Amino acid sequence: CMTKKPHCSYCREQELLLQPMAKQKNLDWQLAPAPESKDHFKLKEQYELFIGGKWVKPKSGKYFDTINPATEQKLARIAEANAADVDSAVKAARKAFEGPWGKMPASERAKYIFRIARLMQEKARELAVIETMDGGKAIRESRDIDIPLAAAHFFYYAGWADKIPYAFPGKQTSPLGVAGQVIPWNFPLLMASWKLAPALACGNTVVLKPAETTPLTALTLAEIIQEADLPEGVVNIVTGAGATGAAVVNHPDVNKVAFTGSTNVGKLIQRSTAGSGKKLTLELGGKAANIIFADATIDQAVEGIVNGIYFNQGHVCCAGSRLYVEEAVYDEVVRKLKHRMKSLVVGDPLDKNTDIGAINSKEQLGTINKYIKIGQEEGSDMYQPTCDLPGKGFWCRPTLFTNVAQSARISQEEIFGPVLAVQTFRTMDEVLQKANNTPYGLSAGVWTDKGSKIFNMTTKLRAGVIWANTFNKFDPTSPFGGYKESGYGREGGVHGLGTYLNLN
């Protein structure tokens, strides 16, 4: 219509149609709930210890509760293993190593590992929901990342089982024996897979201790191992807290210790195993630097930042919790980052719309809130998007700190929560000095349009894993690990095999 006059019926109709849109344009759209179903499986009320291929009661008779951090409701009672239970598990593992598993041809071992991988795929939906209920992470992460990647590690190492001599030409290879493995709560099933798959492929047997707050997927994996008819004692799973883990680490008949967790505990393990002859790998804390240059694709970088620190609630040792932005694009990056943070959905982890789920435990939430308070007291500017949090459970809004000093505690210490500290830089030398000024050395990220700049940065950043124009991408063929106070040794890829072998 060219007249645009009030008496024009068409223009009047369009004006009336547009009025509701004008009123809505500054309001947030509310997404309808889309909860993942829990009807396809049933958790047991009580889980025992998995020793020698059987479920056995703890010798102490003690149990503890595992709860859903999003609702604070009890999920199940979990057996608490003591030193005597761990001793039984190690003896079962030794018997299997010296018996059927140790004598089995590598090609036959591969079939069992393949079978576990296939069963994990078949039960992927069940495993994803259990992981989310027990750990608090959003179902999208459990469903699309954790479970498929866990199965992929079993598939990958199953393929290596009968080809290990080719991985280490000129070397005589043999399994170590019994591996004691202690895993954290942030990626329960994935961490179990990272450790179990290469150990089994190399011909070792295992005693695995999952985190006390997230034992359910490891125990479900034990059920899968039973279904796969793995010989008794090849994999043993003992649940409990720190004392159980210490019993695994310190057992004299354990040949290899693999630990993922905090730096402080890693240092204790290093001291306790020194001089024991045990082989040791440690994957510990981190304070990753995410570096954005002015020539980067800003929208892509902002999404990578969100993926690296917020989608996983910051519950990742390699989370990009330090952000360095070149001054020329600082205002643009912060503006777009705040805009993106406003769209993040915090809430029910089982809802497919949720971006940020619950914090794993009340204790961890307390640690995060302590650091948020420290950041404010240190004079940094805090930003949190406005959003309603559920009345029950452990929740933290995505948090952004600007005007952060290099010496600030929120810039130097691992928080393990959705808290991002932002600083600026002008030159490459300046950002390298800032990024490397940390006791950790696990991971880093570089965002730039220049390939030469990527190679220049990656050769000078002191981090075990460096991503370019992406962040938190994992693959079973690629090794992962750090150095300095982030530990030593590698998991994943061919490197992950070497840590479970005698090489002569």
Side-chain angles (χ1 to χ4, degrees), residues 165-488:
Y166 298 98
F168 305 95
K171 299 280 188 180
Q172 292 291 323
T173 63
S174 62
L176 296 172
V178 177
Q181 303 175 333
V182 181
I183 59 175
W185 49 260
N186 56 343
F187 287 92
L189 187 64
L190 182 57
M191 291 293 102
S193 302
W194 276 23
K195 288 175 169 54
L196 283 171
L200 298 180
C202 291
N204 301 282
T205 55
V206 175
V207 177
L208 176 76
K209 205 291 282 188
E212 63 269 28
T213 58
T214 53
L216 289 180
T217 43
L219 294 168
T220 306
L221 179 59
E223 295 174 347
I224 289 173
I225 287 168
Q226 271 190 317
E227 190 174 344
D229 289 329
L230 199 69
E232 294 179 355
V234 174
V235 173
N236 306 271
I237 298 178
V238 291
T239 47
T244 307
V248 173
V249 169
N250 295 320
H251 196 286
D253 202 26
V254 166
N255 305 107
K256 159 69 189 284
V257 173
F259 172 77
T260 298
S262 72
T263 296
N264 289 335
V265 175
K267 289 178 179 179
L268 292 174
I269 291 173
Q270 189 175 23
R271 285 195 288 268
S272 68
T273 56
S276 67
K278 296 175 183 177
K279 204 165 185 177
L280 176 65
T281 52
L282 299 171
E283 198 261 279
L284 308 176
K287 194 69 179 174
N290 222 341
I291 301 166
I292 300 180
F293 286 95
D295 57 12
T297 305
I298 301 303
D299 290 339
Q300 179 186 353
V302 167
E303 196 62 26
I305 295 161
V306 171
N307 177 59
I309 187 67
Y310 293 134
F311 282 163
N312 47 51
Q313 295 104 284
H315 289 350
V316 189
C317 47
C318 56
S321 55
R322 291 185 297 154
L323 177 62
Y324 295 98
V325 185
E326 194 166 357
E327 277 190 0
V329 292
Y330 172 77
D331 290 338
E332 179 185 2
V333 169
V334 171
R335 174 176 55 81
K336 289 187 173 183
L337 184 54
K338 288 181 178 179
H339 179 73
R340 183 67 178 90
M341 289 170 69
K342 289 178 182 177
S343 69
L344 297 176
V345 178
V346 182
D348 180 8
L350 282 174
D351 193 322
K352 302 178 192 72
N353 297 317
T354 296
D355 298 306
I356 302 177
I359 303 302
N360 178 258
S361 66
K362 185 177 181 180
E363 291 74 20
Q364 185 59 32
L365 178 59
T367 299
I368 296 168
N369 286 334
K370 179 191 76 173
Y371 275 104
I372 290 175
K373 185 178 179 182
I374 288 171
Q376 293 172 298
E377 291 172 347
E378 288 178 328
S380 301
D381 298 328
M382 187 187 78
Y383 171 78
Q384 289 181 328
T386 301
C387 60
D388 294 328
L389 300 180
K392 274 204 166 186
F394 314 124
W395 308 94
C396 181
R397 294 181 179 88
T399 305
L400 176 69
F401 279 103
T402 53
N403 296 323
V404 179
Q406 177 69 13
S407 60
R409 290 182 63 185
I410 58 171
S411 181
Q412 289 294 318
E413 300 176 15
E414 186 178 39
I415 301 173
F416 229 62
V419 181
L420 179 64
V422 187
Q423 296 182 57
T424 62
F425 68 92
R426 292 182 179 179
T427 67
M428 190 179 297
D429 288 341
E430 179 190 356
V431 74
L432 280 168
Q433 187 177 20
K434 286 182 174 180
N436 289 334
N437 182 24
T438 173
Y440 299 106
L442 186 58
S443 62
V446 179
W447 301 83
T448 175
D449 193 41
K450 302 293 188 292
S452 59
K453 195 179 292 184
I454 290 172
F455 287 117
N456 192 21
M457 292 292 293
T458 55
T459 57
K460 295 174 182 176
L461 282 167
R462 299 196 195 109
V465 179
I466 304 172
W467 289 284
N469 293 325
T470 188
F471 206 86
N472 273 356
K473 298 295 182 183
F474 301 96
D475 189 276
T477 65
S478 179
F480 181 87
Y483 66 109
K484 296 196 290 184
E485 290 196 8
S486 290
Y488 52 81

Side-chain angles (χ1 to χ4, degrees), residues 40-44 47-48 50 55 64 66-67 75-78 116 119-120 123-139 141-143 145-148 150-151 154 183-194 196 208-226 235-239 350 360:
H40 52 287
F41 71 94
K42 184 174 177 60
L43 289 173
K44 296 178 182 176
Y47 286 85
E48 312 297 347
F50 186 66
W55 296 99
F64 62 94
T66 184
I67 68 166
L75 295 172
R77 292 180 77 225
I78 309 298
I116 292 170
L119 287 169
M120 288 177 70
K123 299 177 184 294
R125 188 178 170 206
E126 174 184 341
L127 288 166
V129 174
I130 295 173
E131 193 85 316
T132 290
M133 290 172 62
D134 205 22
K137 63 175 58 184
I139 186 65
E141 185 178 356
S142 299
R143 180 195 63 198
I145 299 173
D146 292 25
I147 309 307
F154 276 98
I183 59 175
W185 49 260
N186 56 343
F187 287 92
L189 187 64
L190 182 57
M191 291 293 102
S193 302
W194 276 23
L196 283 171
L208 176 76
K209 205 291 282 188
E212 63 269 28
T213 58
T214 53
L216 289 180
T217 43
L219 294 168
T220 306
L221 179 59
E223 295 174 347
I224 289 173
I225 287 168
Q226 271 190 317
V235 173
N236 306 271
I237 298 178
V238 291
T239 47
L350 282 174
N360 178 258

